[in-house]
Amino acid sequence: MAFRAPRRHRHCGGSVTAGPENRCLPDPTSNTASRTRSTAIIISAKHGQSPTDPADLKRVPDAPIIAAVNAAWTAAHPGAGALVAFSTDDDGMLWWLSDRSQAAADFVKNYLLTHDAAGNDISGSPITVSASGLTQVYAGAESAAYFGVPVSDPRHPDIFGIVQHGVVYTGGKGKIAEHGGAGFQDRNVPILVVVPGMRQGEQIGAQVETTQIAPTILRLLGLNPYALQAVQIEHTQVLPGLRRH
């Protein structure tokens, strides 16, 4: 049967509309107050950006760093190929090496922490950062332990570098912030919750995580949060202040 567009019907009141079968349908704007009293809103973000203050920005091209590490490796190991097989560097450094031995990872760690790198600030003026822009490097088994996986797991990077605050690895001068690292500004985001009946303007200073949003939604819908496997495994709690709902 062909669908007929909704239209006014002489037997329908002013707040209803005739549907495709000439049935009277409620006006979607007539119960706004009811929806407001029964709708919860949760606003957050999957990650932050760093640095939040442009004055702290230190752009550092990572290509010259990778090239220098590869050159140092081949100089120390004649006949060897490039050591860095794959990299993803934003405001963190994650490298996978062609030689996945602990010795190779330690070689890279030592090089990164003992060599400066050139970059530029928010205005594009040249700067120099120490230790390749890093504060700490997890190499080989250290990286596996950081990510909570066995050393034999090929997914973990051989090198995981924690950047100095404000460092963003980029070859240009356009970026003003990045994400993907382990900095405070990367990993801390606001969570705004509006729930009917909840006191307005209340601030809860307890440590929470965005993983708590999913079980909170289930609780607000009257469903069991522990129906989620991740909640069962990680014992994720509903957001504080909402447990009574």
Side-chain angles (χ1 to χ4, degrees):
M1 179 181 294
F3 177 81
R4 288 177 291 177
R7 58 184 176 82
R8 287 289 176 186
H9 191 275
R10 63 179 181 174
H11 298 302
C12 293
S15 63
V16 291
T17 302
E21 301 300 326
N22 285 329
R23 291 193 297 266
C24 291
L25 304 176
D27 185 336
T29 64
S30 65
N31 61 346
T32 300
S34 175
R35 289 198 300 270
T36 301
R37 291 192 298 268
S38 62
T39 301
I41 300 173
I42 302 178
I43 300 175
S44 188
K46 70 184 182 73
H47 60 74
Q49 290 281 94
S50 180
T52 56
D53 184 348
D56 294 336
L57 178 65
K58 305 177 186 71
R59 302 187 192 97
V60 178
D62 58 339
I65 299 175
I66 294 173
V69 168
N70 284 334
W73 176 256
T74 55
H77 302 81
L83 181 57
V84 182
F86 180 78
S87 67
T88 176
D89 306 325
D90 293 308
D91 66 344
M93 179 179 284
L94 291 86
W95 288 4
W96 285 259
L97 307 180
S98 58
D99 181 339
R100 306 211 70 186
S101 67
Q102 186 64 45
D106 289 339
F107 177 93
V108 174
K109 176 179 179 178
N110 179 70
Y111 185 95
L112 292 173
L113 293 178
T114 56
H115 287 77
D116 296 340
N120 59 87
D121 61 17
I122 186 62
S123 66
S125 300
I127 60 172
T128 299
V129 295
S130 62
S132 306
L134 301 167
T135 61
Q136 190 169 2
V137 176
Y138 296 88
E142 297 170 339
S143 176
Y146 183 94
F147 289 100
V149 298
V151 175
S152 59
D153 191 326
R155 295 173 298 175
H156 76 81
D158 298 289
I159 298 295
F160 177 54
I162 308 294
V163 301
Q164 300 167 20
H165 176 65
V167 167
V168 171
Y169 292 110
T170 175
K173 296 183 178 180
K175 286 189 177 182
I176 60 173
E178 255 298 355
H179 63 272
F184 179 86
Q185 293 176 351
D186 274 33
R187 302 184 62 183
N188 285 266
V189 295
I191 299 180
L192 174 65
V193 181
V194 179
V195 176
M198 189 176 183
R199 186 172 60 188
Q200 296 184 6
E202 181 178 3
Q203 293 189 13
I204 298 175
Q207 185 73 27
V208 296
E209 297 183 353
T210 53
T211 53
Q212 294 176 252
I213 293 176
T216 298
I217 292 173
L218 292 185
R219 174 63 59 81
L220 291 172
L221 291 173
L223 302 175
N224 181 11
Y226 288 92
L228 297 175
Q229 288 184 338
V231 171
Q232 298 173 24
I233 295 171
E234 300 180 3
H235 306 289
T236 310
Q237 300 296 308
V238 171
L239 288 170
L242 303 179
R243 295 189 179 93
R244 63 182 181 274
H245 291 274

